[in-house]
Amino acid sequence: MTQELNRPALMKAGIALAAVAVLANIPYAALIALFDYDDVLRRPAGEVLELFHAGGSPLVLAWWTFGLSAIGFALAAMLLGEALKDGKAKLASGITLFGVLSGVFQASALLRWTFAIPSIAAAYVQAGEGSAERAAAISSYEALNMFAGVGIGEHMGQVLLMVWTLGVGLALMRMGGAMKWIGAAGLVTLPLWVIGQTELLSLSMPEVPVIEVLPYAFMGWELWLLVVGVALVVRAMGRAEAVGGETLAHA
């Protein structure tokens, strides 16, 4: 067996990537239903805090599981790095690190909704209209949302993800066959991620023209991740059958 087709490692990586692509949509769907995510993030702070407080524990739980899905991606990136550590499709350890950091950064930002925003939302709702307490709650929410949410989770998380996708896409292309086209498909999502950063940068630089393509980048990338996972599983299974056939032929 060639080093680049380590069947157990490919199988684990493929299952992990496919699982992340599928399971992350469960809390995502819950956030849409409970919180009108992600359009709600661009609404006035007071409206967001009231809606969040009204969501209660189910909404907090949805955010918690969504944050864990980002950790799941970090683990999947590590498994893929292990599967592609040798051979012509070798993935540089630095690329794997970018994927892991992307997952960690995104999880750190998402988990603010579980451990920081609940107390801010409660303080806002309990304070009187026009009070200093409400103003403080709004300031806390906006600062946390811009730094942790937009800066760390969205911007840095997506920049790191772009580098990981580029590296993985090129590595898959070197595997040849159908993987060549699957790897190339990942590279197609990169311009959308890059253009989508205008939406984030415009929040602090209003003169930046906004091109809202991030939802399409996310959906396209997530579909690609699922295809990569399934393709790796199929590749691992096919290799196993080939090895089995060679063993029988020489028996």
Side-chain angles (χ1 to χ4, degrees):
M1 180 185 296
T2 60
Q3 287 181 309
E4 67 175 315
L5 290 177
N6 183 326
R7 185 181 69 85
L10 280 177
M11 183 70 71
K12 291 178 183 178
I15 291 174
L17 291 171
V20 168
V22 173
L23 296 179
N25 283 286
I26 297 176
Y28 185 74
L31 290 174
I32 293 175
L34 297 172
F35 199 46
D36 193 25
Y37 185 74
D38 57 359
D39 290 339
V40 69
L41 301 182
R42 306 305 182 225
R43 296 182 188 176
E47 183 179 344
V48 177
L49 292 173
E50 288 181 347
L51 185 60
F52 180 87
H53 185 74
S57 295
L59 181 55
V60 174
L61 181 61
W63 278 112
W64 179 64
T65 53
F66 199 33
L68 292 185
S69 72
I71 293 296
F73 169 71
L75 296 175
M78 292 176 62
L79 291 174
L80 183 62
E82 177 65 22
L84 301 181
K85 67 178 181 179
D86 295 304
K88 65 180 181 181
K90 181 177 180 180
L91 187 65
S93 58
I95 296 298
T96 297
L97 179 60
F98 277 113
V100 173
L101 288 177
S102 175
V104 171
F105 279 22
Q106 291 182 65
S108 300
L110 291 170
L111 290 175
R112 78 189 187 278
W113 292 97
T114 300
F115 299 106
I117 300 299
S119 60
I120 295 175
Y124 178 86
V125 171
Q126 294 166 9
E129 184 72 32
S131 64
E133 289 78 10
R134 278 205 165 184
I138 289 176
S139 295
S140 297
Y141 166 79
E142 290 180 340
L144 191 60
N145 189 51
M146 287 297 295
F147 176 70
V150 178
I152 301 300
E154 293 187 76
H155 181 60
M156 287 305 301
Q158 290 170 17
V159 168
L160 293 168
L161 191 65
M162 282 187 270
V163 178
W164 180 84
T165 301
L166 174 62
V168 171
L170 293 175
L172 295 179
M173 290 177 69
R174 292 194 295 272
M175 292 179 71
M179 300 304 294
K180 177 179 180 180
W181 302 107
I182 293 173
L187 304 186
V188 172
T189 68
L190 296 179
L192 295 178
W193 286 115
V194 173
I195 294 172
Q197 299 309 300
T198 60
E199 181 181 352
L200 306 180
L201 294 173
S202 68
L203 297 174
S204 55
M205 295 181 285
E207 67 274 13
V208 174
V210 177
I211 305 176
E212 297 184 5
V213 294
L214 283 178
Y216 304 105
F218 176 76
M219 289 186 290
W221 179 86
E222 195 171 51
L223 177 60
W224 173 76
L225 192 70
L226 175 60
V227 172
V228 170
V230 172
L232 289 178
V233 171
V234 171
R235 185 76 175 243
M237 293 174 64
R239 182 61 184 175
E241 292 173 359
V243 172
E246 291 173 3
T247 301
L248 291 175
H250 290 86

